[in-house]
PDB file of all heavy atoms in Angstrom:
ATOM      1  N   PHE A 231       0.180   3.939  17.541  1.00 98.00           N
ATOM      2  CA  PHE A 231      -0.790   5.010  17.346  1.00 98.00           C
ATOM      3  C   PHE A 231      -0.424   5.851  16.133  1.00 98.00           C
ATOM      4  O   PHE A 231      -1.276   6.204  15.309  1.00 98.00           O
ATOM      5  CB  PHE A 231      -0.846   5.879  18.602  1.00 98.00           C
ATOM      6  CG  PHE A 231      -1.893   6.953  18.570  1.00 98.00           C
ATOM      7  CD1 PHE A 231      -3.201   6.663  18.907  1.00 98.00           C
ATOM      8  CD2 PHE A 231      -1.573   8.260  18.222  1.00 98.00           C
ATOM      9  CE1 PHE A 231      -4.184   7.651  18.884  1.00 98.00           C
ATOM     10  CE2 PHE A 231      -2.532   9.254  18.195  1.00 98.00           C
ATOM     11  CZ  PHE A 231      -3.841   8.945  18.527  1.00 98.00           C
ATOM     12  N   ALA A 232       0.862   6.154  16.004  1.00 98.00           N
ATOM     13  CA  ALA A 232       1.331   6.984  14.891  1.00 98.00           C
ATOM     14  C   ALA A 232       1.124   6.309  13.546  1.00 98.00           C
ATOM     15  O   ALA A 232       0.903   6.985  12.534  1.00 98.00           O
ATOM     16  CB  ALA A 232       2.810   7.320  15.087  1.00 98.00           C
ATOM     17  N   ASN A 233       1.176   4.994  13.510  1.00 98.00           N
ATOM     18  CA  ASN A 233       0.948   4.272  12.250  1.00 98.00           C
ATOM     19  C   ASN A 233      -0.463   4.525  11.721  1.00 98.00           C
ATOM     20  O   ASN A 233      -0.672   4.696  10.515  1.00 98.00           O
ATOM     21  CB  ASN A 233       1.160   2.771  12.445  1.00 98.00           C
ATOM     22  CG  ASN A 233       2.617   2.394  12.591  1.00 98.00           C
ATOM     23  OD1 ASN A 233       3.503   3.134  12.171  1.00 98.00           O
ATOM     24  ND2 ASN A 233       2.876   1.246  13.188  1.00 98.00           N
ATOM     25  N   VAL A 234      -1.434   4.557  12.627  1.00 98.00           N
ATOM     26  CA  VAL A 234      -2.818   4.809  12.216  1.00 98.00           C
ATOM     27  C   VAL A 234      -2.961   6.249  11.736  1.00 98.00           C
ATOM     28  O   VAL A 234      -3.632   6.528  10.736  1.00 98.00           O
ATOM     29  CB  VAL A 234      -3.792   4.527  13.378  1.00 98.00           C
ATOM     30  CG1 VAL A 234      -5.233   4.773  12.935  1.00 98.00           C
ATOM     31  CG2 VAL A 234      -3.629   3.105  13.881  1.00 98.00           C
ATOM     32  N   ALA A 235      -2.312   7.165  12.439  1.00 98.00           N
ATOM     33  CA  ALA A 235      -2.355   8.569  12.029  1.00 98.00           C
ATOM     34  C   ALA A 235      -1.774   8.746  10.638  1.00 98.00           C
ATOM     35  O   ALA A 235      -2.334   9.468   9.797  1.00 98.00           O
ATOM     36  CB  ALA A 235      -1.591   9.429  13.030  1.00 98.00           C
ATOM     37  N   ALA A 236      -0.646   8.086  10.365  1.00 98.00           N
ATOM     38  CA  ALA A 236      -0.010   8.205   9.052  1.00 98.00           C
ATOM     39  C   ALA A 236      -0.937   7.707   7.953  1.00 98.00           C
ATOM     40  O   ALA A 236      -1.032   8.317   6.879  1.00 98.00           O
ATOM     41  CB  ALA A 236       1.305   7.425   9.030  1.00 98.00           C
ATOM     42  N   PHE A 237      -1.642   6.622   8.201  1.00 98.00           N
ATOM     43  CA  PHE A 237      -2.594   6.123   7.207  1.00 98.00           C
ATOM     44  C   PHE A 237      -3.698   7.141   6.943  1.00 98.00           C
ATOM     45  O   PHE A 237      -4.029   7.435   5.779  1.00 98.00           O
ATOM     46  CB  PHE A 237      -3.211   4.800   7.663  1.00 98.00           C
ATOM     47  CG  PHE A 237      -4.417   4.404   6.854  1.00 98.00           C
ATOM     48  CD1 PHE A 237      -4.276   3.884   5.576  1.00 98.00           C
ATOM     49  CD2 PHE A 237      -5.700   4.582   7.356  1.00 98.00           C
ATOM     50  CE1 PHE A 237      -5.385   3.552   4.815  1.00 98.00           C
ATOM     51  CE2 PHE A 237      -6.812   4.250   6.609  1.00 98.00           C
ATOM     52  CZ  PHE A 237      -6.654   3.731   5.337  1.00 98.00           C
ATOM     53  N   LEU A 238      -4.278   7.696   8.009  1.00 98.00           N
ATOM     54  CA  LEU A 238      -5.377   8.643   7.833  1.00 98.00           C
ATOM     55  C   LEU A 238      -4.935   9.915   7.107  1.00 98.00           C
ATOM     56  O   LEU A 238      -5.728  10.545   6.413  1.00 98.00           O
ATOM     57  CB  LEU A 238      -5.985   9.008   9.187  1.00 98.00           C
ATOM     58  CG  LEU A 238      -6.783   7.910   9.886  1.00 98.00           C
ATOM     59  CD1 LEU A 238      -7.193   8.360  11.278  1.00 98.00           C
ATOM     60  CD2 LEU A 238      -8.012   7.520   9.076  1.00 98.00           C
ATOM     61  N   LEU A 239      -3.669  10.279   7.257  1.00 98.00           N
ATOM     62  CA  LEU A 239      -3.145  11.466   6.598  1.00 98.00           C
ATOM     63  C   LEU A 239      -2.693  11.209   5.164  1.00 98.00           C
ATOM     64  O   LEU A 239      -2.431  12.145   4.416  1.00 98.00           O
ATOM     65  CB  LEU A 239      -1.949  12.020   7.397  1.00 98.00           C
ATOM     66  CG  LEU A 239      -2.272  12.603   8.775  1.00 98.00           C
ATOM     67  CD1 LEU A 239      -0.982  12.817   9.561  1.00 98.00           C
ATOM     68  CD2 LEU A 239      -3.049  13.906   8.660  1.00 98.00           C
ATOM     69  N   SER A 240      -2.611   9.955   4.784  1.00 98.00           N
ATOM     70  CA  SER A 240      -2.019   9.578   3.501  1.00 98.00           C
ATOM     71  C   SER A 240      -3.045   9.527   2.374  1.00 98.00           C
ATOM     72  O   SER A 240      -4.260   9.590   2.593  1.00 98.00           O
ATOM     73  CB  SER A 240      -1.359   8.201   3.636  1.00 98.00           C
ATOM     74  OG  SER A 240      -2.342   7.174   3.649  1.00 98.00           O
ATOM     75  N   ASP A 241      -2.526   9.354   1.159  1.00 97.00           N
ATOM     76  CA  ASP A 241      -3.397   9.175  -0.005  1.00 97.00           C
ATOM     77  C   ASP A 241      -4.161   7.859   0.051  1.00 97.00           C
ATOM     78  O   ASP A 241      -5.159   7.688  -0.656  1.00 97.00           O
ATOM     79  CB  ASP A 241      -2.576   9.238  -1.297  1.00 97.00           C
ATOM     80  CG  ASP A 241      -2.117  10.646  -1.626  1.00 97.00           C
ATOM     81  OD1 ASP A 241      -2.494  11.589  -0.900  1.00 97.00           O
ATOM     82  OD2 ASP A 241      -1.367  10.807  -2.609  1.00 97.00           O
ATOM     83  N   ALA A 242      -3.685   6.916   0.866  1.00 97.00           N
ATOM     84  CA  ALA A 242      -4.397   5.644   1.014  1.00 97.00           C
ATOM     85  C   ALA A 242      -5.775   5.856   1.628  1.00 97.00           C
ATOM     86  O   ALA A 242      -6.693   5.064   1.410  1.00 97.00           O
ATOM     87  CB  ALA A 242      -3.581   4.671   1.860  1.00 97.00           C
ATOM     88  N   ASN A 243      -5.919   6.906   2.405  1.00 98.00           N
ATOM     89  CA  ASN A 243      -7.232   7.299   2.911  1.00 98.00           C
ATOM     90  C   ASN A 243      -7.807   8.346   1.973  1.00 98.00           C
ATOM     91  O   ASN A 243      -7.443   9.518   2.030  1.00 98.00           O
ATOM     92  CB  ASN A 243      -7.129   7.878   4.320  1.00 98.00           C
ATOM     93  CG  ASN A 243      -8.452   8.514   4.745  1.00 98.00           C
ATOM     94  OD1 ASN A 243      -9.521   8.113   4.309  1.00 98.00           O
ATOM     95  ND2 ASN A 243      -8.358   9.525   5.590  1.00 98.00           N
ATOM     96  N   SER A 244      -8.697   7.933   1.139  1.00 97.00           N
ATOM     97  CA  SER A 244      -9.293   8.853   0.170  1.00 97.00           C
ATOM     98  C   SER A 244     -10.810   8.986   0.321  1.00 97.00           C
ATOM     99  O   SER A 244     -11.428   9.795  -0.368  1.00 97.00           O
ATOM    100  CB  SER A 244      -8.987   8.369  -1.254  1.00 97.00           C
ATOM    101  OG  SER A 244      -9.467   7.043  -1.439  1.00 97.00           O
ATOM    102  N   TYR A 245     -11.412   8.208   1.248  1.00 98.00           N
ATOM    103  CA  TYR A 245     -12.876   8.214   1.313  1.00 98.00           C
ATOM    104  C   TYR A 245     -13.401   8.110   2.741  1.00 98.00           C
ATOM    105  O   TYR A 245     -14.549   7.762   2.962  1.00 98.00           O
ATOM    106  CB  TYR A 245     -13.426   7.063   0.460  1.00 98.00           C
ATOM    107  CG  TYR A 245     -14.855   7.241   0.020  1.00 98.00           C
ATOM    108  CD1 TYR A 245     -15.232   8.323  -0.778  1.00 98.00           C
ATOM    109  CD2 TYR A 245     -15.842   6.336   0.399  1.00 98.00           C
ATOM    110  CE1 TYR A 245     -16.553   8.485  -1.189  1.00 98.00           C
ATOM    111  CE2 TYR A 245     -17.162   6.485  -0.019  1.00 98.00           C
ATOM    112  CZ  TYR A 245     -17.511   7.565  -0.801  1.00 98.00           C
ATOM    113  OH  TYR A 245     -18.816   7.730  -1.209  1.00 98.00           O
ATOM    114  N   MET A 246     -12.564   8.434   3.718  1.00 98.00           N
ATOM    115  CA  MET A 246     -13.009   8.427   5.113  1.00 98.00           C
ATOM    116  C   MET A 246     -12.867   9.830   5.668  1.00 98.00           C
ATOM    117  O   MET A 246     -11.756  10.360   5.754  1.00 98.00           O
ATOM    118  CB  MET A 246     -12.188   7.437   5.946  1.00 98.00           C
ATOM    119  CG  MET A 246     -12.410   5.987   5.558  1.00 98.00           C
ATOM    120  SD  MET A 246     -11.639   4.817   6.711  1.00 98.00           S
ATOM    121  CE  MET A 246      -9.920   5.237   6.534  1.00 98.00           C
ATOM    122  N   THR A 247     -13.977  10.417   6.037  1.00 98.00           N
ATOM    123  CA  THR A 247     -13.964  11.746   6.652  1.00 98.00           C
ATOM    124  C   THR A 247     -15.139  11.853   7.618  1.00 98.00           C
ATOM    125  O   THR A 247     -16.184  11.216   7.429  1.00 98.00           O
ATOM    126  CB  THR A 247     -14.015  12.861   5.583  1.00 98.00           C
ATOM    127  OG1 THR A 247     -13.767  14.122   6.204  1.00 98.00           O
ATOM    128  CG2 THR A 247     -15.349  12.898   4.854  1.00 98.00           C
ATOM    129  N   GLY A 248     -14.958  12.626   8.661  1.00 98.00           N
ATOM    130  CA  GLY A 248     -16.007  12.782   9.663  1.00 98.00           C
ATOM    131  C   GLY A 248     -16.164  11.597  10.589  1.00 98.00           C
ATOM    132  O   GLY A 248     -17.156  11.497  11.308  1.00 98.00           O
ATOM    133  N   SER A 249     -15.180  10.708  10.593  1.00 98.00           N
ATOM    134  CA  SER A 249     -15.267   9.499  11.409  1.00 98.00           C
ATOM    135  C   SER A 249     -14.346   9.578  12.618  1.00 98.00           C
ATOM    136  O   SER A 249     -13.411  10.379  12.660  1.00 98.00           O
ATOM    137  CB  SER A 249     -14.913   8.262  10.573  1.00 98.00           C
ATOM    138  OG  SER A 249     -15.870   8.048   9.561  1.00 98.00           O
ATOM    139  N   SER A 250     -14.617   8.719  13.579  1.00 98.00           N
ATOM    140  CA  SER A 250     -13.790   8.619  14.782  1.00 98.00           C
ATOM    141  C   SER A 250     -13.211   7.217  14.874  1.00 98.00           C
ATOM    142  O   SER A 250     -13.933   6.231  14.685  1.00 98.00           O
ATOM    143  CB  SER A 250     -14.616   8.908  16.041  1.00 98.00           C
ATOM    144  OG  SER A 250     -15.176  10.203  15.990  1.00 98.00           O
ATOM    145  N   PHE A 251     -11.929   7.147  15.173  1.00 98.00           N
ATOM    146  CA  PHE A 251     -11.231   5.862  15.203  1.00 98.00           C
ATOM    147  C   PHE A 251     -10.547   5.671  16.555  1.00 98.00           C
ATOM    148  O   PHE A 251      -9.794   6.525  17.005  1.00 98.00           O
ATOM    149  CB  PHE A 251     -10.188   5.799  14.090  1.00 98.00           C
ATOM    150  CG  PHE A 251     -10.775   5.956  12.715  1.00 98.00           C
ATOM    151  CD1 PHE A 251     -10.839   7.195  12.118  1.00 98.00           C
ATOM    152  CD2 PHE A 251     -11.286   4.857  12.027  1.00 98.00           C
ATOM    153  CE1 PHE A 251     -11.389   7.360  10.849  1.00 98.00           C
ATOM    154  CE2 PHE A 251     -11.833   5.007  10.770  1.00 98.00           C
ATOM    155  CZ  PHE A 251     -11.890   6.262  10.175  1.00 98.00           C
ATOM    156  N   LEU A 252     -10.825   4.533  17.190  1.00 98.00           N
ATOM    157  CA  LEU A 252     -10.207   4.188  18.452  1.00 98.00           C
ATOM    158  C   LEU A 252      -8.933   3.375  18.210  1.00 98.00           C
ATOM    159  O   LEU A 252      -8.909   2.478  17.363  1.00 98.00           O
ATOM    160  CB  LEU A 252     -11.153   3.352  19.314  1.00 98.00           C
ATOM    161  CG  LEU A 252     -12.375   4.060  19.899  1.00 98.00           C
ATOM    162  CD1 LEU A 252     -13.289   3.033  20.545  1.00 98.00           C
ATOM    163  CD2 LEU A 252     -11.962   5.099  20.933  1.00 98.00           C
ATOM    164  N   VAL A 253      -7.891   3.703  18.947  1.00 98.00           N
ATOM    165  CA  VAL A 253      -6.673   2.883  18.973  1.00 98.00           C
ATOM    166  C   VAL A 253      -6.484   2.512  20.433  1.00 98.00           C
ATOM    167  O   VAL A 253      -5.814   3.207  21.198  1.00 98.00           O
ATOM    168  CB  VAL A 253      -5.460   3.667  18.427  1.00 98.00           C
ATOM    169  CG1 VAL A 253      -4.230   2.777  18.376  1.00 98.00           C
ATOM    170  CG2 VAL A 253      -5.752   4.246  17.051  1.00 98.00           C
ATOM    171  N   ASP A 254      -7.116   1.400  20.842  1.00 98.00           N
ATOM    172  CA  ASP A 254      -7.236   1.123  22.273  1.00 98.00           C
ATOM    173  C   ASP A 254      -7.081  -0.336  22.652  1.00 98.00           C
ATOM    174  O   ASP A 254      -7.349  -0.712  23.791  1.00 98.00           O
ATOM    175  CB  ASP A 254      -8.590   1.631  22.777  1.00 98.00           C
ATOM    176  CG  ASP A 254      -9.761   0.800  22.260  1.00 98.00           C
ATOM    177  OD1 ASP A 254      -9.601   0.093  21.238  1.00 98.00           O
ATOM    178  OD2 ASP A 254     -10.845   0.853  22.885  1.00 98.00           O
TER     179      ASP A 254
END
Side-chain angles (χ1 to χ4, degrees):
F231 185 83
N233 287 338
V234 181
F237 167 76
L238 290 174
L239 292 167
S240 76
D241 287 356
N243 170 29
S244 57
Y245 202 61
M246 293 189 298
T247 190
S249 294
S250 301
F251 300 93
L252 290 172
V253 184
D254 70 340

